[in-house]
Amino acid sequence: MNRDLIKRLRAIRGMNQYQFSEFIGISRAQLAQIEAGYISPSQIVKDKIYSSFESEYIEKVRALLE
């Protein structure tokens, strides 16, 4: 899961960084660093995102980015 996919999923939900970070249970600063490419999402963050969306949905969005 890369930063572009995370940004796209957030945008599809219609959430700003603060709202999405609360939705998945991380700080807004951490989400901003992930989206900017300064840090990679940990497995815990990836799991939180996967549990918030259906895996088929994530794969469809990922395909759109390729």
Side-chain angles (χ1 to χ4, degrees):
M1 179 173 289
N2 64 29
R3 66 190 185 116
D4 294 326
L5 178 58
I6 294 171
K7 282 182 185 181
R8 183 63 57 102
L9 291 169
R10 177 174 64 79
I12 289 169
R13 284 274 181 174
M15 296 179 169
N16 61 33
Q17 284 183 337
Y18 181 77
Q19 293 166 325
F20 192 70
S21 65
E22 283 198 335
F23 179 69
I24 62 172
I26 63 173
S27 71
R28 194 220 45 90
Q30 184 180 9
L31 178 61
Q33 289 179 331
I34 291 169
E35 288 188 357
Y38 294 121
I39 62 173
S40 296
S42 67
Q43 189 59 48
I44 293 170
V45 171
K46 290 177 188 178
D47 290 344
K48 288 179 179 183
I49 293 170
Y50 275 114
S51 69
S52 301
F53 294 89
E54 292 182 24
S55 59
E56 290 178 12
Y57 184 75
I58 291 174
E59 293 309 314
K60 287 178 184 178
V61 173
R62 180 176 289 163
L64 290 173
L65 295 173
E66 294 177 348

